[in-house]
Each structure stands twice: as structure tokens, then as C-alpha cells.
Amino acid sequence: MAEEPIIYCKNVHKWYDDFHALRGIDMDVFLGEVIVIFGPSGSGKSTFIRTINRLEEHQEGQIVVDGIELSHDVRNIEQIRTETGMVFQQFNLFPHLSVLQNITLAPIWVRKWPKDKAETVAMELLELVGIPEQALKFPGNLSGGQQQRVAIARALAMQPKIMLFDEPTSALDPEMIKEVLDTMTDLAESGMTMIVVTHEMGFARAVADRLYFFDEGLIVESGTPEEIYSNPQEERTKLFLSQIIQH
Amino acid sequence: MVNIAIEQDHIRPPQPPGLIKWIKENLFSSIFNTVLTILLIPLISYLLFAVFRWVFFAAEWRAVTQFPLLYAVGQYPRDQIWRVGIILSGLFLFLGISWGRWGGLLKSISFTAGLIMLVTSLLPVQHPALDLNMRLYLGSNLLTILVGYLLGSKTAIKNTHIFIGWLLVPVCGIVLLAGFEASELIPDVSTTLWGGLLVTILLAAGGILLSFPLGIALAFGRRSSLPVVSAFSTVFIETIRGVPLVTILFMFSIILALFLPVESRIDRLVRALMAVTVFSAAYSAENIRGGLQAVPLGQIEAAKALGMGNFKTTIFIVLPQALRAVLPAIVGQFISLFKDTTLVVIIGINDFLGIGRSIINSDPEFVQMRTEVYIFMAVVYWIFSYLMSLASRRMEAAMGTSNNM
């Protein structure tokens, strides 16, 4: 393909002391693609997504995001982080700031936007995720689903080129999962480049361009949703899919 | 999209009114409580009566009432006492402004201060310290508070300017109190003459204001990944915490003076302030460090993921949450600092307690009145400590209602 990938990972290795968490991951992501990563717990999927904005450091291999190689250079790291939004399993909203302040903090202090502009953008984003009326509340007063939608708005406020989702619905009560997935679907349809770690296979089937199955720090199998669901090649993929789809 | 939040109007059942109901529920709810109430009512009445009789008839308050200025400012020259008045008015102005802007506890403090001024200025007694000028000055402070209130509520003074004012008044105040050698208008007044409540408040407020940032710095220092910084902070904190305040006071007042050449000698009061600050900073540091550890890692990751560097993450995310978690502990520590300042008497500084003791010792007649003097001083210390504790509770409540952490 002539086009350059926006995320380029080559032979990424990561150790926690003696534990070999990532054992050579290769992945290219192109602009506008939606990638879903799934796999059993401890398979390295969260670790991998966190190496992309260097919340985790990789020890070997190469990661290039939007033309910038991740290295020890702090300025590179901070620049990549402004270009990649991240949504966490536990939301991680700032409890001492209002919803609006949560969203405007980084645009004002990192992007150096004037307050008015940051607030206008924040309100537009809250409109987008469907909860503009909650702007002045504090995160502690929102439901889990609302908190996660605020977290998505907060990440989008930096106008990132890439969005990383680390199990965004795993900590939610069942009745709130849909509202978050709906928001993510809207986002995917708007053309955002996304990497999503999730076990929501319905979402993956509907939205993902490619699926990656991780196990024991390796990519076991990858392909389009169609390929993975109807015709998995590897035994481990079959087994895992049968386990999570049973219910 | 599913909207889970269901608006509910909770209608509170009407509260049963009345004193009788309260008495019934709290004093006579069981046989045991009834017996207790019947036994305690005469006992408490008797105690109250005894206290009342002692305060108003038996006690001899002369050792207190005769020297109001001594208790307030020590030996500060009486012809220069207007400088203290100016500072006090400055503080009242900003108290009024803050009341106008934020209300709440500041309103209660303004009212209390105003009431004390008014009553004192109208006291129907002959007292050399309470001449017409003093009465007029005290009365004028009512006006100052009121002007402040109007400024705070009706004009658009920026909040930051109010904070700057709060810092500027004490700083300018200290310069004004010290004066200049060459100046005719405000000749210098040696700190050996400063004393009383003035010195107590100066040491406590100075110690609190200076030890707080120093404590934050030490707390971060101890957690630093740089071994030199971390080792220095740890040794500093553990040394200071392992030594009584008295020792630190002696160290600063005597040993420091021995090492420095005579002409560069630091003022005695400043040395005491340094000792108090260092002592309090070491304790604050450990409190704050506890708060820093309580901030979840996810908060820091979220800030970093938004492109915020270490400094911004610390200022906007970590520190506010850490300080809020340890606010009660910090205020508790400031209250003990306020009371610990009484120890400066051993290095020859006449703080509030020191003045009281020297008054008692100045006259055999006053020795008989030492109970009254100590009770008076205890009440004054209690008022200040209680105000701090009240302020801390209000701050906690304000933070608590704004969100649930």
C-alpha cells in the first residue's frame, strides 16, 4: 500500500521484570481504520494499547505514531499524547473538577486555547455524547455510563487523530454499556481512527475493520470480522470465541 | 440513547416541631436516661452557677484589665502603636471585602469582630488605654468592615486581587512594624520590644504560611526519583521530627548565632520564626505525602494521556486531590503549631503567654491572680484555635457538597 500507516508497530517487546508481556507485536493501522483487539486476560492487549501512547514503555522494537517514533525523548512522548486520546476502563475522570473543567483542562493548558474556545468545543462535544445538561456537575454525581461518555468527550477535546479505548465498557453496569457503545459507533462512523480493546463482539462485528486476537503476548490471528467469526484458523481463537459468545 | 438518571422529587416528611418533643426523645427516652437527666440537671446547674459566681464576683480580673495593650503588643512603643492600628484596619478591610464576596464563615467573623469593636468602644468604664482616640479608632473599624463589604459585594474586584491583598497586608504590615532606621515618620522598632498577641499571631501565621509550601516541597522531595533530593528530604524530615521543638528553637536561637558573624546576625524573632517553620514543615510534609500516595495512579495516567507533562499533572491533578484528602490533618497540625508558639518564651521572646507570666511575676499582688490570668489566656487561645477548626470544617463541607469523591 502506498499510504503510510498512522500507527506502525514492528516487533514490539515488553517485559515486566521476568515476565515477557509482549512477545513481538507487528501492527499497522491506517487513517480512519477501526481496530478491535480481544483476547483472554493477561494476553497483553491492554499493555499493547498502552505502549502506543507510552503509558507503558516497550523495551524492544519500533513504534511510530503519526510519523513520530516513540523514544525516551519526552517532547516526542508529549506530542504523541496530544495526538492520541485515551479512554480507560475506570474512566479516570478528575473528581475535583466539574465535567466542563475535566474537558477544558488539557485544551487550555496543553493546546493553549483561550477559555472561551475550549468551553465552546467542550459543549459541542457534550452535545455529541448526549449529556450537555451535565456540564456543571461533578463526575461523582454521574452514572458510570455518563462518566465514560464524559471521558470520551475529554479525550476528543484535544482533537486527536487516534483514539485508544482500553476496555471502555468492562467496568459498566450492563444497562449502561449500550449508551457508551453507541457513542463509540458514532465516532467510528465519523471517520476516527480507533483501536479498541473490548470483548463486545457485537460492536466489533458492526464497526471494526480488522480484529486482532491476542494470547500470551502474541497476535494469534487477525482478519476482518467476517474472517474471524465465520472461519477462524487457529484452535485458540475458536476456543476463546466459543467461550465468550456462548452467553 | 438510554437515559438512566431519573428525576425524583423527594418530599421530606414534615419534621415534628417543638422543644417538648426534643426533650422527650433525647432526655427521657428510657428509664436510665430519665434517671441520668434528673441527676445531671442539678449538677450542671450547680457547676454553671459556681462558674458564674466565680467569674463575676470572686475573681479578681485586675491583672488582666489593667494591661490590655501589654497583652496585645507587649512593649511596642505606645506612641508608635498606631502602626498596629493601621495593619488591623487593613485586615478588617479585606475581611469585609471577603465577606462581601464569599459570605459564609467570613460573615460570622466580620459580625463578631465588629461587635467586639463596638462594645469595647462604648464600654462605660474609665481606663487609661481606652481614651477617646482609642474609642474612635475602634468605632471606625466598623466602618472599615462595612466599606470592605460594599467593595466586595458591589464592585467587580477580581478574586486574585483580594488574595494578593490578603498577602500584601501582612507583608507590608511587618515592614511597617519594623520601620526604618533613617525614617522620621516610622523609626525602627527593635523586635525585642514586640510582644504579646502580636508576636503569637505573627509567629503562627508566618509559620503556617511559610511551612505549607516548604512542606509540599519536602513531600515531593521525599518521593523524588533523584536519590540526592530524596535522601536530603528524608534526612531533613526525620531529623526535625525526631527532635522536640524546644531543641530546634535553641538550635536556631543560639547555635545559628554562634556560626554567623555578629554583623550578619539574623533577628531573634526571625530565628524563632525559622525554627517554627522548619518544625511545622517536616510534619506537614509527612501529612501531604500521605495525601499524594492516596491519589490513584489512574488519575496521573489520565492526565498524561491528555499530553500534560509532569509539572502540569502535579499542579492541576495530583496536588489538589492530595491536599483535599489531608486538609483536616493539616489544619489540626496548624492548630498545634499555633499553640506550640508559646515555647518561644524559653528563648526570651515575650509572646502572649510570656507577657501573662511576666505580668504575674511583676507584682506579688498579681501572683494571687494567676488563675484569672491563665484562664483569660486559655480563652484567647481557645477562640483562635476554634476559629481555625471551624474554618477547616466549613472548607471540608464546601468541598464535600461540590462532589463525592
Side-chain angles (χ1 to χ4, degrees):
Chain A
M1 214 181 286
E3 199 188 345
E4 281 285 304
I6 189 158
I7 300 172
Y8 167 82
C9 302
K10 183 84 189 157
N11 195 28
V12 174
H13 285 265
K14 161 91 191 161
W15 284 266
Y16 292 107
D17 296 325
D18 287 340
F19 178 64
H20 201 167
L22 297 178
R23 303 193 292 165
I25 304 288
D26 297 324
M27 190 186 288
D28 291 343
V29 180
F30 294 89
L31 207 63
E33 271 193 311
V34 176
I35 306 291
V36 164
I37 301 175
F38 67 108
S41 71
S43 61
K45 53 195 191 312
S46 281
T47 306
F48 172 68
I49 200 175
R50 288 156 60 87
T51 57
I52 295 172
N53 65 353
R54 211 176 178 83
L55 287 180
E56 302 284 353
E57 218 171 282
H58 62 286
Q59 278 101 19
E60 243 183 75
Q62 202 186 11
I63 301 177
V64 181
V65 179
D66 197 22
I68 305 166
E69 174 156 11
L70 276 176
S71 63
H72 285 284
D73 190 332
V74 178
R75 263 186 298 174
N76 275 359
I77 296 171
E78 280 178 17
Q79 184 165 4
I80 285 171
R81 284 175 179 163
T82 58
E83 304 301 337
T84 52
M86 186 162 211
V87 176
F88 299 85
Q89 182 177 354
Q90 299 294 343
F91 329 137
N92 293 345
L93 293 178
F94 307 129
H96 61 299
L97 300 177
S98 72
V99 165
L100 194 64
Q101 288 168 326
N102 261 279
I103 301 173
T104 55
L105 183 71
I108 290 174
W109 292 98
V110 179
R111 285 260 192 251
K112 312 280 181 203
W113 288 357
K115 196 168 171 232
D116 296 346
K117 180 183 173 189
E119 286 184 349
T120 314
V121 171
M123 286 315 294
E124 283 167 15
L125 287 168
L126 281 175
E127 203 85 49
L128 190 77
V129 300
I131 40 174
E133 73 282 0
Q134 311 286 359
L136 298 178
K137 287 197 185 164
F138 283 82
N141 300 328
L142 303 187
S143 73
Q146 291 172 329
Q147 289 194 43
Q148 194 61 299
R149 285 189 276 160
V150 172
I152 293 171
R154 177 177 71 177
L156 289 174
M158 289 294 284
Q159 303 192 326
K161 293 182 178 154
I162 304 153
M163 284 287 283
L164 309 173
F165 293 84
D166 187 3
E167 305 205 33
T169 56
S170 303
L172 293 174
D173 291 334
E175 74 272 21
M176 294 171 186
I177 290 175
K178 187 178 176 295
E179 63 190 58
V180 171
L181 290 180
D182 284 346
T183 306
M184 290 168 61
T185 307
D186 291 346
L187 194 59
E189 279 164 4
S190 75
M192 176 64 77
T193 311
M194 291 163 62
I195 301 183
V196 185
V197 173
T198 187
H199 290 152
E200 295 295 335
M201 298 322 279
F203 169 80
R205 169 165 280 183
V207 178
D209 295 304
R210 273 183 295 148
L211 263 55
Y212 284 79
F213 176 60
F214 272 51
D215 195 16
E216 293 178 347
L218 282 168
I219 296 172
V220 175
E221 194 168 353
S222 68
T224 64
E226 200 54 39
E227 286 164 1
I228 297 279
Y229 285 121
S230 3
N231 191 18
Q233 301 296 309
E234 301 285 331
E235 275 311 308
R236 277 188 286 178
T237 318
K238 285 178 198 165
L239 182 67
F240 185 75
L241 280 173
S242 73
Q243 281 166 340
I244 60 169
I245 293 177
Q246 232 165 35
H247 300 286
Chain B
M1 235 170 263
V2 192
N3 197 355
I4 304 299
I6 298 165
E7 288 298 320
Q8 274 183 329
D9 266 329
H10 284 290
I11 298 165
R12 216 168 158 217
Q15 293 303 106
L19 188 63
I20 296 181
K21 175 113 183 157
W22 185 89
I23 289 173
K24 226 172 160 180
E25 270 174 8
N26 292 286
L27 300 180
F28 299 100
S29 56
S30 68
I31 296 175
F32 176 70
N33 274 353
T34 309
V35 172
L36 217 56
T37 304
I38 289 170
L39 284 177
L40 278 177
I41 281 176
L43 191 68
I44 292 173
S45 318
Y46 173 74
L47 276 177
L48 284 177
F49 173 70
V51 168
F52 178 83
R53 196 181 49 185
W54 183 81
V55 168
F56 288 98
F57 299 104
E60 188 68 70
W61 294 105
R62 239 176 335 121
V64 175
T65 53
Q66 213 170 319
F67 313 102
L69 289 179
L70 213 49
Y71 282 107
V73 297
Q75 303 282 356
Y76 202 85
R78 294 297 179 260
D79 58 338
Q80 296 296 323
I81 214 151
W82 54 269
R83 298 189 205 175
V84 182
I86 286 183
I87 297 167
L88 209 56
S89 295
L91 291 176
F92 280 137
L93 181 69
F94 278 93
L95 176 66
I97 292 176
S98 307
W99 163 32
R101 184 56 54 89
W102 295 294
L105 182 62
L106 294 156
K107 181 179 169 183
S108 326
I109 296 178
S110 302
F111 268 84
T112 316
L115 196 69
I116 292 174
M117 296 292 151
L118 186 69
V119 169
T120 318
S121 68
L122 297 177
L123 272 184
V125 288
Q126 287 292 327
H127 195 290
L130 202 60
D131 55 12
L132 184 65
N133 282 340
M134 184 58 101
R135 285 176 195 267
L136 282 175
Y137 167 73
L138 291 173
S140 78
N141 276 326
L142 281 182
L143 212 65
T144 311
I145 294 177
L146 210 65
V147 168
Y149 171 76
L150 291 175
L151 280 174
S153 58
K154 304 276 182 243
T155 66
I157 303 182
K158 281 193 182 151
N159 286 354
T160 39
H161 292 168
I162 301 179
F163 287 125
I164 291 171
W166 270 116
L167 285 180
L168 227 53
V169 171
V171 170
C172 297
I174 287 168
V175 174
L176 183 65
L177 283 176
F180 299 98
E181 221 167 309
S183 168
E184 292 227 341
L185 183 65
I186 48 168
D188 64 328
V189 175
S190 160
T191 56
T192 48
L193 298 175
W194 303 19
L197 203 54
L198 174 71
V199 162
T200 294
I201 291 175
L202 216 62
L203 283 175
I208 289 168
L209 285 177
L210 296 175
S211 73
F212 189 54
L214 187 59
I216 293 176
L218 283 170
F220 278 111
R222 191 162 186 177
R223 283 163 55 101
S224 167
S225 52
L226 304 170
V228 180
V229 177
S230 152
F232 173 80
S233 307
T234 308
V235 168
F236 184 92
I237 291 169
E238 293 306 334
T239 309
I240 301 289
R241 293 207 314 158
V243 175
L245 177 56
V246 180
T247 321
I248 297 170
L249 278 169
F250 268 124
M251 217 172 72
F252 272 89
S253 85
I254 296 165
I255 300 175
L256 199 65
L258 286 181
F259 283 119
L260 294 171
V262 180
E263 60 272 18
S264 72
R265 264 199 161 173
I266 306 168
D267 184 88
R268 201 175 54 125
L269 201 57
V270 176
R271 274 177 283 156
L273 181 62
M274 283 162 73
V276 169
T277 302
V278 164
F279 183 75
S280 172
Y283 282 89
S284 303
E286 285 300 272
N287 279 334
I288 293 165
R289 193 167 66 96
L292 292 177
Q293 276 163 350
V295 177
L297 188 63
Q299 290 290 311
I300 297 161
E301 286 183 345
K304 296 219 156 142
L306 288 165
M308 292 165 72
N310 280 331
F311 181 72
K312 282 172 192 158
T313 304
T314 303
I315 294 293
F316 296 119
I317 306 303
V318 178
L319 209 48
Q321 293 186 42
L323 292 182
R324 184 167 63 170
V326 297
L327 181 72
I330 295 264
V331 174
Q333 197 222 312
F334 287 159
I335 291 175
S336 39
L337 168 68
F338 173 67
K339 293 179 295 183
D340 284 347
T341 57
T342 48
L343 285 172
V344 297
V345 88
I346 61 154
I347 56 168
I349 293 173
N350 266 325
D351 74 328
F352 189 56
L353 188 72
I355 291 284
R357 281 167 37 145
S358 52
I359 287 174
I360 291 170
N361 294 330
S362 67
D363 192 327
E365 197 192 2
F366 291 151
V367 177
Q368 306 299 318
M369 304 172 194
R370 62 184 182 280
T371 317
E372 287 86 341
V373 173
Y374 280 121
I375 284 180
F376 162 69
M377 290 190 295
V379 168
V380 172
Y381 278 109
W382 178 81
I383 289 172
F384 280 95
S385 303
Y386 186 68
L387 273 180
M388 281 195 253
S389 154
L390 212 58
S392 134
R393 257 187 283 161
R394 296 281 173 104
M395 266 154 79
E396 278 169 56
M399 289 168 170
T401 50
S402 59
N403 68 88
N404 329 317
M405 212 169 152

